[in-house]
Amino acid sequence: MRDRIMGPGVPPGTPATQELAPHFSQWVYESVFADLYDRPPLELKTRVLLTMVALSVQGRMAQLRGYIRAALNVGWTREEIIEAIVQLAPYQGVPATHDALAAAKEVFDAVQKE
Amino acid sequence: MRDRIMGPGVPPGTPATQELAPHFSQWVYESVFADLYDRPPLELKTRVLLTMVALSVQGRMAQLRGYIRAALNVGWTREEIIEAIVQLAPYQGVPATHDALAAAKEVFDAVQKE
Amino acid sequence: MRDRIMGPGVPPGTPATQELAPHFSQWVYESVFADLYDRPPLELKTRVLLTMVALSVQGRMAQLRGYIRAALNVGWTREEIIEAIVQLAPYQGVPATHDALAAAKEVFDAVQKE
Amino acid sequence: MRDRIMGPGVPPGTPATQELAPHFSQWVYESVFADLYDRPPLELKTRVLLTMVALSVQGRMAQLRGYIRAALNVGWTREEIIEAIVQLAPYQGVPATHDALAAAKEVFDAVQKE
Amino acid sequence: MRDRIMGPGVPPGTPATQELAPHFSQWVYESVFADLYDRPPLELKTRVLLTMVALSVQGRMAQLRGYIRAALNVGWTREEIIEAIVQLAPYQGVPATHDALAAAKEVFDAVQKE
Amino acid sequence: MRDRIMGPGVPPGTPATQELAPHFSQWVYESVFADLYDRPPLELKTRVLLTMVALSVQGRMAQLRGYIRAALNVGWTREEIIEAIVQLAPYQGVPATHDALAAAKEVFDAVQKE
């Protein structure tokens, strides 16, 4: 299931995490993806968008870019992703929405080049 | 559309906002609900869950309770709401998930009594 | 100067801080109020409003109520305080503004009764 | 090990979590306490204080109270807990330290009555 | 009025926002600047400083740089801007003040070169 | 004592702070390090790790890197620093732990080159 979210062959976590804390990469793989994501009744597609929102509110940009790409992977369109980010503005604030749209543009541009 | 989210007859904003800043209650009504929520291509049902998530991450409990109720109003089941909150734990942290589940229980109990 | 901000005779910090960490109450008194507040070129009145804003963004409600009262003490009107909180909505988010207006109403009501 | 942190017989999570999401209470028990806490080379006593700090910075008060009690359980003195909270003031801000000291006072008073 | 804040000819929002969500740039222009900023009794000059503070507390650096420049545009001196950021340290924390001063230096240096 | 934390000869604060607000660098030096850090009964080594945790939760990356280096300076091993960051994941969230591990890797690599 993680392959469907992150794309096939994308290693878990970040390079720093894999190098410094491989047991934690493994923990995320097993305890987060296997135990928490793979449950009824919420669809995977919905789950990925919720995670994307949480990361935008927190301003965790590296992970946010990863989940914008994940949102594309599980079937959300660019327009839907943009709308989700825009809609958050009254809650997370306009600056957070500007930041998340900048992250979205980076991901969309990178995907187009691949 | 705001009636579908908040329930019919629920006044906009909070009592304090209505008393101290009625122009702001009006602004939220027009600028947030009419301008930002009522747009394709994202479904209203999805939008409400995204907002609920943003409020949980921020720890804004009064508004979170309002949007848990809104999530019920637009058709999410209790099980789906619980799953959404639980899934957020690795991103927002376990304490935020405990807090949001406490808010959910309050709302579910209040709805049952009505 | 602290008397002008907090009102005459209001003890520094909170009851818990005074009991558990009197040296910290003293530190706030000397290191924050004497060293950082009492400097040109920014007016005390402006400084108090800036602090009020910071507390609203952070959602630290007990201290926010203290600084809404402080804003009244140094000469801001209720209308100006309300406008400051409302203007923050696009940056801190609508929920934070609702929360801060609720705090303002509590303070305004308490002041009226005194 | 969880008994040493939380005290014997204290149920995992909150009442709301146990009722609405028992599988999540179980996940915290197994994936957080068993997998992440019980590892060399960091001592349990140190881990509990670090967690207490994280909760203070986040302003998650219910969980913070739980971990102030946990800090007492694993052998930190009241004076050390107070010093840890006071030292955080320049990083988390003075208001967060006031809030955490208020939580500490609640816990210390409750422990004294038991 | 937006020209007075941002400088004449500065386009609304960020490049990413203009490209991905032009309707949102327009919304910010109309709903934030026209509806919320342009109201008595708070002066524009005060409003800009309050916004600058909110962005510093949130750590939204791109927008913070924009509002430090805006503060210069509406008449605050460098010394006043620095004092505002320094005064926030006990509330937002010393690290946030270091970050905001780094942003201020970038803006001041860029303005000097123009 | 500050030399023991930051390393001998490391100037206080950041270059921007030293240039724009030297009185604030001085204030941090005297009011934070001398007044708050140098007190019984908490050991300096423990204090540094607590500060590191607070900075990770806040996502203040420049200061976090400074305190990861400080943790090495006062005698924590790389393995202990990594464990502290990993343990925080269920509280601060997995993304914050990934970010802090990336900061740790930068510091460890820089130290190795020196």
Side-chain angles (χ1 to χ4, degrees):
Chain A
M1 184 207 48
R2 201 185 158 281
D3 277 3
R4 280 175 55 205
I5 301 177
M6 291 303 171
V10 176
T14 62
T17 301
Q18 287 150 29
E19 181 182 330
L20 299 186
H23 69 289
F24 180 64
S25 285
Q26 193 62 22
W27 182 86
V28 172
Y29 195 88
E30 286 170 11
S31 293
V32 176
F33 285 103
D35 289 0
L36 294 185
Y37 259 71
D38 197 14
R39 285 175 49 87
L42 214 54
E43 285 181 34
L44 179 62
K45 195 178 162 186
T46 305
R47 288 179 184 274
V48 168
L49 205 65
L50 297 180
T51 300
M52 190 193 82
V53 162
L55 294 165
S56 174
V57 174
Q58 294 184 309
R60 295 287 173 181
M61 303 313 287
Q63 294 270 308
L64 175 58
R65 282 190 291 270
Y67 272 87
I68 290 170
R69 186 181 277 262
L72 292 171
N73 289 345
V74 297
W76 294 103
T77 66
R78 293 180 184 210
E79 288 67 30
E80 287 167 329
I81 290 167
I82 291 167
E83 271 301 308
I85 294 170
V86 165
Q87 177 213 323
L88 289 177
Y91 307 96
Q92 70 179 355
V94 167
T97 284
H98 283 320
D99 281 354
L101 288 171
K105 185 168 153 45
E106 277 181 65
V107 174
F108 295 169
D109 288 355
V111 166
Q112 200 146 14
K113 279 188 192 147
E114 285 166 16
Chain B
M1 185 207 45
R2 200 185 158 283
D3 277 3
R4 282 175 53 205
I5 302 176
M6 291 304 171
V10 176
T14 62
T17 301
Q18 288 150 30
E19 182 183 330
L20 299 186
H23 69 287
F24 179 65
S25 285
Q26 193 61 24
W27 181 85
V28 172
Y29 195 87
E30 286 170 10
S31 294
V32 176
F33 285 103
D35 289 0
L36 294 185
Y37 260 71
D38 198 13
R39 287 175 47 89
L42 214 55
E43 281 180 37
L44 179 60
K45 196 177 162 186
T46 305
R47 287 179 184 275
V48 168
L49 205 66
L50 297 181
T51 300
M52 190 194 82
V53 162
L55 294 164
S56 174
V57 174
Q58 294 185 308
R60 295 286 174 183
M61 302 315 285
Q63 294 270 310
L64 174 58
R65 283 190 290 270
Y67 271 88
I68 290 170
R69 184 179 279 262
L72 293 171
N73 289 344
V74 298
W76 294 102
T77 66
R78 292 177 184 213
E79 287 69 29
E80 288 168 326
I81 291 168
I82 291 167
E83 271 301 309
I85 293 170
V86 165
Q87 176 212 323
L88 288 177
Y91 307 98
Q92 70 179 354
V94 168
T97 284
H98 283 320
D99 282 352
L101 288 171
K105 185 167 151 48
E106 279 182 64
V107 174
F108 296 169
D109 288 353
V111 166
Q112 200 145 13
K113 280 188 192 148
E114 283 166 17
Chain C
M1 183 206 48
R2 199 185 159 282
D3 277 2
R4 281 175 55 206
I5 301 177
M6 292 302 172
V10 176
T14 63
T17 301
Q18 288 150 29
E19 182 183 331
L20 298 186
H23 69 288
F24 181 64
S25 285
Q26 193 62 22
W27 182 85
V28 172
Y29 196 87
E30 287 170 10
S31 294
V32 176
F33 285 103
D35 289 0
L36 294 185
Y37 260 71
D38 198 13
R39 286 174 48 89
L42 214 55
E43 284 180 33
L44 179 61
K45 195 177 162 186
T46 306
R47 287 180 185 275
V48 169
L49 205 65
L50 297 180
T51 300
M52 190 194 83
V53 162
L55 294 164
S56 173
V57 174
Q58 293 185 309
R60 294 287 174 181
M61 302 315 285
Q63 294 270 309
L64 175 58
R65 282 190 292 270
Y67 272 88
I68 290 170
R69 185 180 279 261
L72 292 170
N73 289 345
V74 297
W76 294 103
T77 66
R78 293 179 184 210
E79 287 69 29
E80 288 167 328
I81 291 167
I82 292 167
E83 271 300 309
I85 293 169
V86 165
Q87 176 212 322
L88 288 177
Y91 306 97
Q92 71 179 354
V94 168
T97 284
H98 283 320
D99 281 353
L101 288 171
K105 186 167 153 43
E106 277 181 66
V107 174
F108 295 169
D109 288 354
V111 167
Q112 200 145 15
K113 279 187 194 149
E114 285 167 13
Chain D
M1 185 206 47
R2 200 186 158 280
D3 276 3
R4 283 176 51 207
I5 302 177
M6 292 304 172
V10 176
T14 63
T17 301
Q18 288 150 31
E19 182 183 330
L20 298 186
H23 69 289
F24 180 66
S25 285
Q26 193 61 23
W27 181 86
V28 172
Y29 196 88
E30 287 170 10
S31 294
V32 176
F33 286 102
D35 289 359
L36 294 185
Y37 261 70
D38 197 13
R39 285 174 51 86
L42 215 54
E43 283 181 34
L44 179 61
K45 196 178 162 185
T46 306
R47 288 179 183 277
V48 168
L49 205 65
L50 297 180
T51 301
M52 190 194 82
V53 162
L55 294 164
S56 174
V57 175
Q58 293 184 309
R60 295 287 174 180
M61 303 314 286
Q63 294 271 310
L64 174 58
R65 281 190 293 268
Y67 271 89
I68 290 170
R69 185 180 279 262
L72 292 171
N73 290 344
V74 296
W76 294 102
T77 66
R78 291 180 184 210
E79 289 67 30
E80 288 168 327
I81 291 168
I82 291 167
E83 271 301 309
I85 293 169
V86 165
Q87 176 212 325
L88 289 177
Y91 306 96
Q92 69 179 354
V94 168
T97 284
H98 283 318
D99 281 354
L101 288 171
K105 188 170 152 42
E106 279 181 65
V107 174
F108 295 168
D109 289 354
V111 167
Q112 200 146 15
K113 280 187 193 149
E114 285 167 15
Chain E
M1 184 207 44
R2 201 186 157 282
D3 277 4
R4 281 176 53 207
I5 301 176
M6 291 304 172
V10 176
T14 62
T17 302
Q18 287 150 30
E19 182 182 329
L20 298 186
H23 70 287
F24 180 64
S25 285
Q26 192 62 24
W27 182 85
V28 173
Y29 195 89
E30 286 170 9
S31 293
V32 176
F33 286 103
D35 288 0
L36 293 186
Y37 260 71
D38 198 13
R39 286 175 47 89
L42 214 54
E43 282 181 36
L44 179 61
K45 195 177 162 186
T46 305
R47 288 179 184 274
V48 168
L49 205 65
L50 298 179
T51 300
M52 190 194 81
V53 162
L55 294 165
S56 174
V57 174
Q58 294 184 308
R60 295 287 175 182
M61 303 314 287
Q63 294 270 308
L64 174 58
R65 283 189 291 269
Y67 270 88
I68 290 171
R69 185 179 279 262
L72 293 170
N73 289 345
V74 297
W76 294 103
T77 66
R78 291 178 184 211
E79 287 69 29
E80 289 167 326
I81 291 167
I82 291 167
E83 270 301 310
I85 293 169
V86 165
Q87 177 213 323
L88 289 177
Y91 307 96
Q92 70 179 354
V94 168
T97 284
H98 283 320
D99 281 354
L101 288 171
K105 186 168 151 47
E106 278 182 63
V107 174
F108 295 169
D109 288 354
V111 166
Q112 200 146 12
K113 280 188 192 147
E114 283 166 17
Chain F
M1 184 207 47
R2 201 187 158 281
D3 277 3
R4 282 176 53 207
I5 302 177
M6 291 305 172
V10 176
T14 63
T17 300
Q18 288 151 29
E19 181 183 330
L20 298 186
H23 69 288
F24 180 64
S25 285
Q26 193 61 22
W27 182 86
V28 172
Y29 195 87
E30 287 169 10
S31 295
V32 176
F33 285 102
D35 289 359
L36 294 185
Y37 261 70
D38 197 13
R39 285 175 50 86
L42 214 55
E43 283 181 34
L44 179 61
K45 195 178 162 186
T46 306
R47 288 181 185 275
V48 168
L49 205 66
L50 297 180
T51 301
M52 190 193 83
V53 161
L55 294 164
S56 173
V57 175
Q58 294 184 309
R60 295 286 174 181
M61 303 313 287
Q63 294 271 309
L64 175 58
R65 282 190 292 268
Y67 271 88
I68 290 170
R69 185 179 279 261
L72 293 171
N73 290 344
V74 297
W76 294 103
T77 65
R78 292 180 185 210
E79 287 67 30
E80 288 168 328
I81 291 168
I82 292 167
E83 270 302 307
I85 293 170
V86 165
Q87 176 211 325
L88 289 176
Y91 307 96
Q92 69 179 355
V94 168
T97 284
H98 284 319
D99 281 354
L101 288 171
K105 187 170 151 43
E106 278 181 64
V107 174
F108 295 168
D109 289 354
V111 167
Q112 199 147 13
K113 281 188 192 147
E114 285 166 15

